Amino acid sequence: LFIAGDISTMLQFTQEKWGQHEGQDVHMYTVRDPSSGFSVSVSDLGGTLLRVLVPDRNGKLDDVNITQERPEELFSLGHAYLGASVGRVGNRIAKGHFELDGKEYNLFINNGPNHLHGGKVGFDSKIWTWLGQKEVQTSDGPEMTLSFQYISPDGEEGYPGELTTNLTYHVSSMKVSWEFEATTKQSTVVNLTNHGYWNLDGLETRIDEQEITLPAVGFMPVDDDCLVTGEVIESAKAPIQLATPTSFASIFKSFGPVDNNFMLKMDKGTPTRDTPLHLAARVQSPRTGRVMDILTTEPCVQLYTGNWMNEIQRVNGNHKSDKFFAFCLETQSPPNSVNIPAYRDWVVLKPGQTYYHKTQHNFSIAK
């Protein structure tokens, strides 16, 4: 156990062995704000976001991020990508097939007839190289960065080109963000995200009464295999209306379980470190007062309402998992972009270019 920081720095850092994965040690890195108790833990296994402890309106701390107590449980109790960094391409690619620079590529099929979240052994299952932590002073106060790297060899899971990905978590008072930067030695496709599962009421109840606002301009319907059809429905005509705070219970009643991509804007551009973040979603809990605002550089967000969480045996120790026990808000480019001409350029990365993606979670308390 390594501990750094003191009250004067406002943020405390600890590093400890978390367990093993396939015979290799994996670690947990924690940043804590002693003034509020807010803390964030991440792991080099899968670049995973493990714990996010947030106070409620009475000061009670709860873990609002759903994962597992031990590394092996992330896979043995139901492989749901809990809190993981997913890649090289998150979400689905139709039939695991795409063409790039005149060559056809076939990927592992692991979700019905399609390729999902990077394949059989995606980035979530890799041990990322720990690059270290650093504390900096910002205009908002102290911030701790936790940095990792994963180098995906050419041909891994069928993808072309050696891809070097740097992942940095930024932790400050009531905020956590994650930042991907990737470069390639050969043209490839990239659509990285974090697959955090959230429940602002903690670990004892479903998400039904929590309320979501999602400022989308479009909605992408899916087929029976949950693959986008490629169509974008204008938000005003979409079957889910989330422009104002809407409880998940009412969504389930009017629409049913959700696993859909929402367009936040219709042009991605080329995000860099200087790109302003825009709002992807706000979720609030009337019961605890916790509010989470998600801001991102990305053009889309996938809302998944934990529709299959009943297939996970348990989470965060001995807590029973159930359908609708958590929600995911995965910031991204559209699913299957590489096979949709309008979005293809959004996910193709060439040598000399840098892929950049930042998403930030801001927590607050509504009295």
Side-chain angles (χ1 to χ4, degrees), residues 18-178:
W18 186 38
Q20 286 198 327
H21 176 65
E22 296 182 346
Q24 297 186 59
D25 289 348
V26 293
H27 304 85
M28 182 188 297
Y29 309 88
T30 300
V31 178
R32 180 177 179 271
D33 177 4
S35 64
S36 65
F38 176 77
S39 72
V40 173
S41 299
V42 302
S43 178
D44 47 2
L45 175 58
T48 298
L49 184 63
L50 287 178
R51 312 272 181 269
V52 182
L53 271 65
V54 181
D56 67 6
R57 63 165 59 95
N58 298 315
K60 179 178 179 292
L61 288 169
D62 281 308
D63 192 353
V64 300
N65 179 55
I66 310 301
T67 51
Q68 296 293 4
E69 283 293 303
R70 294 186 292 274
E72 63 272 16
E73 293 175 341
L74 290 171
F75 309 98
S76 66
L77 297 182
H79 187 191
Y81 308 91
L82 299 173
S85 296
V86 294
R88 158 174 332 196
V89 172
N91 218 298
R92 294 164 179 84
I93 294 178
K95 298 182 177 13
H97 179 269
F98 66 92
E99 178 272 332
L100 185 63
D101 292 343
K103 185 177 179 180
E104 294 190 2
Y105 294 92
N106 292 295
L107 312 173
F108 188 80
I109 303 300
N110 60 332
N111 185 253
N114 303 313
H115 172 88
L116 176 70
H117 292 332
K120 185 176 183 180
V121 186
F123 287 11
D124 68 293
S125 303
K126 304 296 185 179
I127 299 177
W128 293 56
T129 300
W130 166 242
L131 300 180
Q133 97 281 0
K134 182 171 68 173
E135 185 167 6
V136 296
Q137 291 295 325
T138 73
S139 57
D140 294 327
E143 176 184 280
M144 189 82 73
T145 61
L146 310 174
S147 299
F148 304 87
Q149 184 180 80
Y150 177 65
I151 300 176
S152 175
D154 178 26
E156 183 173 68
E157 291 297 321
Y159 289 99
E162 180 183 290
L163 184 78
T164 298
T165 301
N166 287 290
L167 164 64
T168 303
Y169 283 98
H170 300 253
V171 184
S172 56
S173 179
M174 298 290 277
K175 294 181 183 179
V176 57
S177 63
W178 38 271

Side-chain angles (χ1 to χ4, degrees), residues 140-360:
D140 294 327
E143 176 184 280
M144 189 82 73
T145 61
L146 310 174
S147 299
F148 304 87
Q149 184 180 80
Y150 177 65
I151 300 176
S152 175
D154 178 26
E156 183 173 68
E157 291 297 321
Y159 289 99
E162 180 183 290
L163 184 78
T164 298
T165 301
N166 287 290
L167 164 64
T168 303
Y169 283 98
H170 300 253
V171 184
S172 56
S173 179
M174 298 290 277
K175 294 181 183 179
V176 57
S177 63
W178 38 271
E179 184 178 50
F180 290 111
E181 291 182 285
T183 57
T184 184
K185 292 186 176 180
Q186 178 184 339
S187 292
T188 191
V189 287
V190 183
N191 192 7
L192 300 164
T193 193
N194 177 277
H195 208 298
Y197 284 71
W198 303 95
N199 187 329
L200 298 186
D201 287 338
L203 301 170
E204 305 299 338
T205 185
R206 297 186 353 164
I207 61 173
D208 297 55
E209 302 311 313
Q210 294 166 51
E211 299 172 346
I212 183 170
T213 307
L214 203 160
V217 297
F219 169 88
M220 297 189 79
V222 296
D223 63 17
D224 291 341
D225 296 307
C226 217
L227 179 76
V228 293
T229 63
E231 178 188 10
V232 176
I233 300 174
E234 180 185 346
S235 283
K237 301 176 182 177
I240 308 177
Q241 298 293 319
L242 301 177
T244 57
T246 306
S247 71
F248 284 106
S250 65
I251 295 171
F252 300 148
K253 183 177 180 180
S254 63
F255 179 82
V258 185
D259 193 3
N260 292 85
N261 182 67
F262 292 78
M263 304 293 293
L264 301 171
K265 55 182 185 176
M266 296 304 294
D267 179 26
K268 180 178 181 178
T270 305
T272 69
R273 289 187 179 188
D274 297 325
T275 300
L277 304 181
H278 53 268
L279 183 67
R282 163 176 277 210
V283 183
Q284 54 198 42
S285 164
R287 188 170 74 86
T288 65
R290 295 187 183 100
V291 179
M292 180 174 70
D293 289 303
I294 300 179
L295 300 98
T296 188
T297 56
E298 294 303 281
C300 306
V301 62
Q302 181 94 3
L303 172 60
Y304 170 61
T305 52
N307 313 332
W308 304 102
M309 289 191 73
N310 55 302
E311 296 185 358
I312 305 172
Q313 296 176 38
R314 62 179 186 275
V315 294
N316 295 54
N318 290 317
H319 294 272
K320 184 183 186 311
S321 182
D322 198 2
K323 186 176 183 179
F324 307 144
F325 188 65
F327 61 87
C328 301
L329 286 161
E330 305 155 57
T331 48
Q332 59 186 8
S333 289
N336 197 36
S337 283
V338 69
N339 291 311
I340 303 175
Y343 312 123
R344 179 181 174 83
D345 290 345
W346 295 13
V347 296
V348 171
L349 183 69
K350 299 179 179 180
Q353 298 177 333
T354 298
Y355 168 92
Y356 182 83
H357 172 180
K358 183 175 183 178
T359 293
Q360 181 169 299

